[in-house]
Amino acid sequence: MAEETKNQETQEESNTPEVQEVAGMATDSQPEAVEQQQDPEQFLKEFNWHNYEEGIDPIDDQKLEEFEKLVEENFVDTLNDEVVTGTVINITDRDAIIDINAKSEGVISLNEFRYNPDLKEGDAVEVLIDVREDATGQLILSHRKARVIKAWERVNKAHDEGLIVNGFVKCRTKGGMIVDVFGIEAFLPGSQIDVKPIRDYDAYVGKTMEFKVVKINHEFKNVVVSHKALIEADIEEQKKEIIGQLEKGQVLEGTVKNITSYGVFVDLGGVDGLVHITDLSWSRINHPNEIVELDQKLNVVILDFDEAKTRIQLGLKQLSQHPWEALDNELKVGDNVKGKVVVIADYGAFIEVAEGVEGLIHVSEMSWSTHLRSAQDFVNVGDEVEAQILTLDREDRKMSLGIKQLTPDPWTDITSKYPVGSRHSGIVRNFTNFGVFVELEEGIDGLIYISDLSWTKKIKHPSEFTNVGDTLEVVVLELDVEGRKLSLGHKQIESNPWDKYEAEFAVGTTHTAEISEIVDKGATIDFNEDITAFVPQRHLEKEDGNKLKKGESAEFQIIEFNKEFKRVVASHTAVHREEEQKIVKQAAKKAAAQNNDKTTIGDMNADLQALKDKMEGK
């Protein structure tokens, strides 16, 4: 409607001779055209479009070409998806009217200018031409889309050229912050906020800061910015300048910037140095936070530095005298000291007898017992113990201690406490293939050889006879005071049963037993729980010529008895052969008696033949 009214007004004005002359659009009464001297914008503004479209005002070809040239020079060729700069010519309650120097103005909702509440007429704004003409002939513009396109152009330019951009920190997110850069949400990693660790992220929310675009992912439209990158270059230069003025042994004041498990980072005023955990204290510590805390100011000494790598090694303990130098000069070998257990190893324990001064108690010096155990069996970390100084080397700063020296050596009166032949009770502490170690008391161990465990049992390994921790009755067999060796016996607490068996199972004695096992070269029989006799193959033959089998009971004659080797050999055949020999002897005696009675030779032969037949089973 505004445009129609405007056209009507311009139509009336165009009828004046002045306008026709300036425009060069003469009627039939004015065949000659006057050269245009009027301003093109004024000409376009006053041109009667309606008359021209209706054919009311005819225009010759020359003037028409001039008109088209003016349009081309002054009108914007409005292409779709093109960003142009427009001017706000009017603001309503809901919209802003934007003139982009086209045939018509565009309308944009004020919602797209929420970020700019001070928008006013005459302001220049960037807009995107969405559609040149919609169904109603309206020019469709978008300021929001134009801002996004321009923002990406600016972000890409900043990234490619390394430019510094301003950004608004909107909020925290996982691992960092969200920053508004040119209207685009960019990610600021926590590690890129500052060169020092950040403990309070919320302090940055709502701030406008300078950033550098360090990464763009065009596929996912992700932007990563860094504030740290802006100050790193300056810091590196600053570091080199500071390091160039440093000297070894120089003492500086610094602030604890970060604490790790391996040391402490100290800010020396623009450059960081590391105090390793071993340089914090002369005493052993488990973690640096036992000595320092964050933001603490302290003096440190420069131990070493590398100008090329801008690394500075600092020390804290070096500011105080070494504990060994402050150690009491009157302290000597043989003195007793008290200290705290700080470290335990399998081979011993370290005792801190003074701050920064430690001594080692070897496990062999913890007990008079020759049976070595772990140091943890005697002490624990944190225990307060008393010990005796065994060695002291102030130059090498080494000290060895002993606990067992605080109690009398049990071997000093060993001959009176454990004379040979005395009986005692002991605890089984350890096994070997050849015997058992038995502890009679703390520091007094004795060995029972495997052959001295039992009179009768054949033992291949001590574990078949006893267990570690068992209590055994023992008899002292031998005592070596100089070698600190004690030989014990267990079987000696009882008399040797083989002394009695030597008489009971003497060679030639006869006993009844059962065949228990058949072996390769014979069989075995058990006379009692201690004596197992061996019967050779040829001694298993019975009187009828057959051999004894497993489970058969018969009489056996002892043909060998060895007490030392506990060997017994028996024979069944010898029993019935001995009986035959008796019969032969009896027959011979009877024959001799009959001969005295004038017995005939034939009678005697008859008796012998009868005996022979009997022996042969006839």
Side-chain angles (χ1 to χ4, degrees), residues 186 228 334 349 359 406 437 463 560 569 591:
K228 176 181 177 182
L406 301 178
F437 283 99
S463 59
E560 182 182 348
V569 181

Side-chain angles (χ1 to χ4, degrees), residues 308-426:
K309 298 182 179 179
T310 65
R311 293 179 180 175
I312 305 175
Q313 181 181 349
L314 306 175
L316 180 63
K317 71 179 184 182
Q318 287 80 3
L319 295 176
S320 60
Q321 187 181 19
H322 196 288
W324 273 89
E325 297 175 1
L327 191 65
D328 188 356
N329 291 327
E330 296 182 358
L331 205 62
K332 61 185 181 304
V333 174
D335 289 349
N336 293 345
V337 292
K338 292 183 179 180
K340 183 175 68 174
V341 179
V342 290
V343 175
I344 292 181
D346 289 337
Y347 56 85
F350 288 92
I351 312 298
E352 187 178 50
V353 298
E355 185 179 358
V357 179
E358 296 178 1
L360 171 64
I361 304 179
H362 194 270
V363 66
S364 61
E365 302 298 338
M366 292 183 174
S367 170
W368 288 108
S369 176
T370 56
H371 176 63
L372 296 181
R373 285 172 279 176
S374 172
Q376 295 178 345
D377 295 335
F378 299 95
V379 294
N380 297 310
V381 173
D383 288 352
E384 296 285 342
V385 298
E386 184 177 1
Q388 186 178 108
I389 299 177
L390 304 181
T391 63
L392 180 62
D393 189 340
R394 293 180 182 270
E395 292 185 1
D396 292 339
R397 296 171 178 172
K398 292 181 180 180
M399 180 189 303
S400 63
L401 307 172
I403 295 178
K404 70 181 184 181
Q405 288 77 9
L406 301 178
T407 58
D409 185 353
W411 280 84
T412 53
D413 57 349
I414 189 71
T415 53
S416 60
K417 293 177 64 175
Y418 300 100
V420 174
S422 59
R423 298 179 60 171
H424 308 275
S425 293

Side-chain angles (χ1 to χ4, degrees), residues 444-561:
I444 303 296
D445 289 348
L447 173 64
I448 304 177
Y449 282 98
I450 195 170
S451 59
D452 288 321
L453 288 173
S454 175
W455 289 111
T456 56
K457 293 181 180 179
K458 294 182 179 180
I459 303 171
K460 294 181 180 179
H461 192 273
S463 59
E464 300 174 5
F465 184 81
T466 186
N467 298 310
V468 174
D470 287 353
T471 300
L472 285 182
E473 295 291 328
V474 295
V475 175
V476 178
L477 303 181
E478 295 181 12
L479 180 60
D480 182 359
V481 179
E482 293 184 0
R484 301 174 78 92
K485 294 181 180 179
L486 198 61
S487 179
L488 307 174
H490 174 67
K491 70 180 183 181
Q492 288 80 4
I493 63 176
E494 298 176 353
S495 59
N496 188 352
W498 284 83
D499 292 337
K500 181 181 68 172
Y501 296 152
E502 187 176 17
E504 183 179 351
F505 295 93
V507 174
T509 57
T510 303
H511 307 272
T512 301
E514 183 180 292
I515 300 293
S516 58
E517 291 290 339
I518 299 294
V519 295
D520 292 341
K521 297 182 179 181
T524 59
I525 55 176
D526 296 325
F527 289 127
N528 56 37
E529 61 180 8
D530 295 332
I531 296 181
T532 297
F534 174 69
V535 182
Q537 187 75 29
R538 57 191 180 85
H539 288 277
L540 290 173
E541 187 177 342
K542 296 189 291 186
E543 189 176 0
D544 59 3
N546 295 323
K547 292 187 177 181
L548 293 171
K549 297 180 181 179
K550 182 178 179 179
E552 283 192 66
S553 181
E555 288 188 343
F556 295 89
Q557 186 180 100
I558 305 300
I559 59 176
E560 182 182 348
F561 184 90

Side-chain angles (χ1 to χ4, degrees), residues 194-196 231-243 246 252-255 257 266-273 310 312:
D194 204 339
V195 291
K196 59 184 179 181
I231 57 179
E232 278 184 333
D234 295 337
I235 289 178
E236 287 300 321
E237 292 298 326
Q238 188 178 2
K239 279 184 179 180
K240 291 180 181 179
E241 182 179 351
I242 294 176
I243 290 178
L246 296 180
L252 300 174
E253 184 183 45
T255 304
K257 178 179 178 181
V266 179
D267 184 359
L268 300 176
V271 62
D272 293 345
T310 65
I312 305 175

